[in-house]
Amino acid sequence: MSTYQAPVKEYRLLLETVAPLAELSALPHFAEATPDTVYAIIEESAKFANEVLDPLNWSGDREGAKHDPASCAVTTPKGFKAAYDAYCAMGGAALPMPEEFGGLGMPRSLITLTDEMVHSSNMSFGLLPMLTQGAIEALLLAGSDELKQTFVPKMVSGEWTGTMNLTEPQAGSDLALVKTRAEPQADGSYRIFGTKIFITFGEHDFTENIVHLVLARLPDAPEGVKGISLFAVPKFLVNKDGSLGARNDAKCVSIEHKLGIHGSPTCVMQFGDAGGAVGYVVGEVNRGLEYMFVMMNLARFGVGLQGVGIAERAYQRAVSFARERVQSRDVGAPKNPSVPIIRHPDVRRMLLRMRAQTEAARALAVATGYAFDLAEAHPDPEVRKANQAFVDLMIPIHKGWATEMAQDVTYQGVQVHGGMGFVEETGAAQYYRDARITTIYEGTTAIQANDLVGRKMAREGGVTAKALIATMRAFAAELGKSGNAHLKASHKRLVDGIDAVERAVDYNLANFNHNIRASFAGSVPMVKLFGIVCGGWQLARVALAAEQRLANAGDDRDFLEAKIATLRFFTDTMIPEAIAAADVIVNGAEGTLALAEASF
């Protein structure tokens, strides 16, 4: 079975074009993120992913996490704990975190790539640091100084980890139905009672303590989402001196048996079976969902990166197999001997489809990470505001499109393998299985789509979407000036795609207030439309920079020419799918809503 190799050269190009490090490190907030420092982190992270996490991916899938009903303990696959210790020792957990709490304060542009490597090499492993990052951000946003000092430094170092406890048996995406209750105590703490399901790494053997962030209701809370509060509930209580105290009344009663990500325990957590789990309110009561959305947005961004990561791994495996697998004669040369299947036109089409979508989604993720950084650190408040608006718009697009893209890419990977793809030992099937969850957790694709057409577009009258369209048009004008034949052809296709986005946005805004069901009927196609066109825009930015470097390319000529060829394939074959999605948005609502409910 082929092994994963982090695409470091690809990362360097993105950090010179889509997320220029020179500009970031010029900001005082990111003064430490010099190109030399960032590239050293990239190299070290790649080595860790290639040599430590990748070898555990297959074995972890085979072994899976194990739950002991008697002790409620969870054992992770062999080698995972040692890998986690090594990850923390090299500063992996601390990379994006504030220096005041022991972090390294590195930009999200960089973390986007280091996280992708973790998810590519071992997606099950990557879920734990991803969710801990989000838990830290929620505590930093709303936690009291005491809560921050008690929990955050240990979580930043990786000594403790964090979870997100939202879902209950009767409350999936509809959090208004949450029933977990929190009873106030005389000392200012709360006792938590309830059941939470689908809790990733709710119990494990990596660290001595786990900080659960739990949504619950006070006895006098208003109905619906306005009555939800957020609580920090540690596995072990923490003494005043920072040492660990008694075991809290929070336990994992079972773990799920899943289609994929077997190395990651997905837990059913029970709070309060023995008198109530001690919890501490985070921020103000009844504002819990607001705080949790901070964690959820980072998690959604991270899940989009999982889509990119697993797609990259599937592509690498498929290319390796296609080079090795000899089958059938070359098309047009019937008397020649059989050739490697990479020579066959349809195999090339599948491989290019995998490659182009993965690279487009990665470039869009890095562009979003760069906007995160500017929203946080740019000295001009208007620049910060505009970049935050871009991030808010992109989160549902990135999460929705990149994960749906991963379904297609891992499917194509199985198809390239033919019958061998249906056999677990080739590895292609695992990537297909692991990818499947990414369109579901942290909000299904439909939930991302509803967020996009409702909160992120209609609520603000399409201001950010229209600004994005204008930005893409300005870039397309620059692309059209290129003398390169492939870039000229791609320019025309990209403009067609931007036109399709504008048409769909105008339709959504015109119909949302008086025909809302029609708007939501086309919401998932809207995610696909934005994802493809915005991904093509970012891919074109990279290709245009590559074309400008060709004169002094040296040994990088083939690499740079591949960027231009990949863009040409993407615009020729993917932009038409975006235009078709716009047609579905504008013309498909009546057909979608025509069938009577009783007729299903």
Side-chain angles (χ1 to χ4, degrees), residues 115-198:
D115 282 357
E116 184 203 315
M117 284 186 262
V118 171
H119 295 312
S120 275
S121 56
N122 197 317
M123 191 170 130
S124 290
F125 177 94
L127 280 160
L128 181 62
M130 181 185 85
L131 290 172
T132 301
Q133 281 183 32
I136 292 170
E137 292 289 350
L139 288 169
L140 291 176
L141 170 74
S144 65
D145 288 342
E146 183 178 3
L147 281 184
K148 292 175 187 175
Q149 293 302 327
T150 299
F151 296 121
V152 172
K154 294 279 192 180
M155 296 169 76
V156 168
S157 68
E159 294 172 76
W160 299 350
T161 60
T163 69
M164 178 165 57
N165 289 244
L166 289 78
T167 307
E168 298 178 6
Q170 81 294 337
S173 302
D174 187 358
L175 294 175
L177 301 178
V178 163
K179 293 182 179 179
T180 297
R181 70 184 195 276
E183 297 181 357
Q185 306 297 302
D187 64 357
S189 67
Y190 294 78
R191 295 282 175 163
I192 310 299
F193 301 86
T195 303
K196 297 289 185 178
I197 63 172
F198 302 152

Side-chain angles (χ1 to χ4, degrees), residues 456-467 505 509:
K456 304 303 169 56
M457 283 172 48
R459 181 178 291 182
E460 63 160 28
V463 171
T464 304
K466 290 177 180 178
V505 169
L509 296 176

Side-chain angles (χ1 to χ4, degrees), residues 49-263:
N50 298 343
E51 298 179 6
V52 178
L53 291 182
D54 174 65
L56 298 174
N57 188 58
W58 169 256
S59 61
D61 181 67
R62 298 291 88 194
E63 182 181 347
K66 302 291 193 301
H67 175 256
D68 180 1
S71 66
C72 295
V74 170
T75 304
T76 54
K78 183 179 179 181
F80 271 46
K81 184 183 186 309
Y84 181 77
D85 292 342
Y87 176 79
C88 295
M90 72 177 227
L95 274 178
M97 294 297 126
E99 294 179 60
E100 106 181 70
F101 292 99
L104 298 177
M106 288 292 112
R108 183 60 52 183
S109 308
L110 168 64
I111 305 308
T112 298
L113 298 174
T114 56
D115 282 357
E116 184 203 315
M117 284 186 262
V118 171
H119 295 312
S120 275
S121 56
N122 197 317
M123 191 170 130
S124 290
F125 177 94
L127 280 160
L128 181 62
M130 181 185 85
L131 290 172
T132 301
Q133 281 183 32
I136 292 170
E137 292 289 350
L139 288 169
L140 291 176
L141 170 74
S144 65
D145 288 342
E146 183 178 3
L147 281 184
K148 292 175 187 175
Q149 293 302 327
T150 299
F151 296 121
V152 172
K154 294 279 192 180
M155 296 169 76
V156 168
S157 68
E159 294 172 76
W160 299 350
T161 60
T163 69
M164 178 165 57
N165 289 244
L166 289 78
T167 307
E168 298 178 6
Q170 81 294 337
S173 302
D174 187 358
L175 294 175
L177 301 178
V178 163
K179 293 182 179 179
T180 297
R181 70 184 195 276
E183 297 181 357
Q185 306 297 302
D187 64 357
S189 67
Y190 294 78
R191 295 282 175 163
I192 310 299
F193 301 86
T195 303
K196 297 289 185 178
I197 63 172
F198 302 152
I199 310 307
T200 301
F201 278 98
E203 180 60 51
H204 57 79
D205 53 4
F206 287 4
T207 61
E208 59 184 3
N209 207 9
I210 302 169
V211 182
H212 303 289
L213 292 190
V214 183
L215 291 182
R217 294 182 182 280
L218 273 64
D220 59 351
E223 293 294 320
V225 295
K226 293 182 179 179
I228 297 175
S229 300
L230 181 63
F231 300 88
V233 183
K235 176 180 175 180
F236 284 93
L237 301 178
V238 182
N239 299 319
K240 292 293 184 182
D241 64 359
S243 62
L244 294 185
R247 174 72 188 258
N248 207 353
D249 188 12
K251 60 186 178 182
C252 169
V253 295
S254 66
I255 62 175
E256 305 297 347
H257 302 93
K258 301 169 297 188
L259 178 66
I261 55 169
H262 295 149

Side-chain angles (χ1 to χ4, degrees), residues 471-491:
T471 300
M472 290 194 291
R473 287 201 187 283
F475 168 77
E478 291 301 309
L479 183 66
K481 296 175 185 177
S482 171
N484 183 285
H486 291 312
L487 294 185
K488 277 191 172 298
S490 295
H491 161 259

